[in-house]
Amino acid sequence: DISESSQQTEKKSGSNLDKDDFLLLLVKQMQYQDPLEPTDNTEYVAQLATFSQLEAMLGMQDTQKNEMANGLVGKYVILKPTDATTGKTTYVDGKVDYVMYQEDGSVMLSVNDKLYNLDTLDTVADSDYYEAMGYAKSIENMLDQLPDLENITGSYETAIKQIRDLYDGLTDYQKGFVRD
């Protein structure tokens, strides 16, 4: 029954129909057409042309997605994966080591020796920016380990010197990321 087929298609993919759904609908339309008023062949040709355009568009979309993923290799990214069990969303940052293509068509990024779906990509960062942010975080963490100014004694001299040496070794661009 055509209405069952349509309902199954709608349940399966919501409002997004894929090429298999399109072909299924076309076959069902041909199968259940009114024999007293059959559908004109030109209408089928038009639908087939629409299907061909859809298929070409999907192919281009996959190619663009793959090219984008390949371009991420060596780049620093921030991913925003959601745990399937808990539903909790976290942030993961690191460099993309490689891209893996799954049989189901999904694209996976290897970051920090773990695989993440390309769909979890949140941010792509320039390596200079990423490095500067890392140095700024390190300096801020080191400063947070120090006591308040009125409680600093000579015993913190080595720690303060390490922070100062790290800061002095930064470029002006990197220094701009360290909070005042």
Side-chain angles (χ1 to χ4, degrees):
D1 182 283
I2 193 164
S3 63
E4 282 179 26
S5 173
S6 298
Q7 287 173 352
Q8 287 173 343
T9 300
E10 191 171 323
K11 284 179 191 174
K12 182 180 103 180
S13 57
S15 63
N16 298 325
L17 298 177
D18 63 15
K19 63 183 178 182
D20 294 331
D21 297 325
F22 184 85
L23 279 177
L24 178 65
L25 289 172
L26 183 61
V27 168
K28 291 294 182 182
Q29 180 183 3
M30 291 172 78
Q31 186 178 1
Y32 292 101
Q33 68 180 320
D34 183 355
L36 299 177
E37 293 181 31
T39 306
D40 186 17
N41 286 339
T42 56
E43 190 174 325
Y44 286 124
V45 170
Q47 289 177 352
L48 191 55
T50 302
F51 172 72
S52 297
Q53 287 175 330
L54 172 68
E55 197 168 37
M57 213 167 54
L58 291 173
M60 282 180 22
Q61 184 180 14
D62 287 344
T63 300
Q64 285 180 321
K65 186 177 184 180
N66 292 346
E67 285 177 6
M68 183 191 77
N70 290 339
L72 293 173
V73 174
K75 302 266 188 204
Y76 291 93
V77 296
I78 300 172
L79 305 166
K80 196 174 169 183
T82 302
D83 186 291
T85 310
T86 65
K88 182 180 177 188
T89 300
T90 57
Y91 287 92
V92 174
D93 65 296
K95 186 170 78 168
V96 176
D97 295 317
Y98 61 89
V99 175
M100 181 180 284
Y101 300 96
Q102 303 293 320
E103 286 183 26
D104 66 359
S106 62
V107 179
M108 307 298 284
L109 304 175
S110 173
V111 177
N112 303 330
D113 296 323
K114 288 180 96 178
L115 291 174
Y116 299 93
N117 195 304
L118 178 64
D119 296 338
T120 65
L121 181 66
D122 184 67
T123 305
V124 180
D126 175 73
S127 60
D128 292 336
Y129 172 83
Y130 187 80
E131 185 178 63
M133 288 297 294
Y135 282 132
K137 255 189 222 179
S138 295
I139 289 174
E140 289 171 11
N141 288 339
M142 293 168 80
L143 288 171
D144 289 343
Q145 300 299 314
L146 296 175
D148 293 335
L149 193 55
E150 58 271 354
N151 295 325
I152 289 185
T153 63
S155 63
Y156 293 101
E157 182 178 348
T158 303
I160 293 170
K161 183 174 179 354
Q162 286 176 337
I163 296 169
R164 186 65 203 198
D165 288 346
L166 178 58
Y167 182 79
D168 288 343
L170 299 179
T171 65
D172 289 340
Y173 175 74
Q174 293 167 335
K175 287 176 183 177
F177 289 86
V178 179
R179 64 181 158 116
D180 295 331

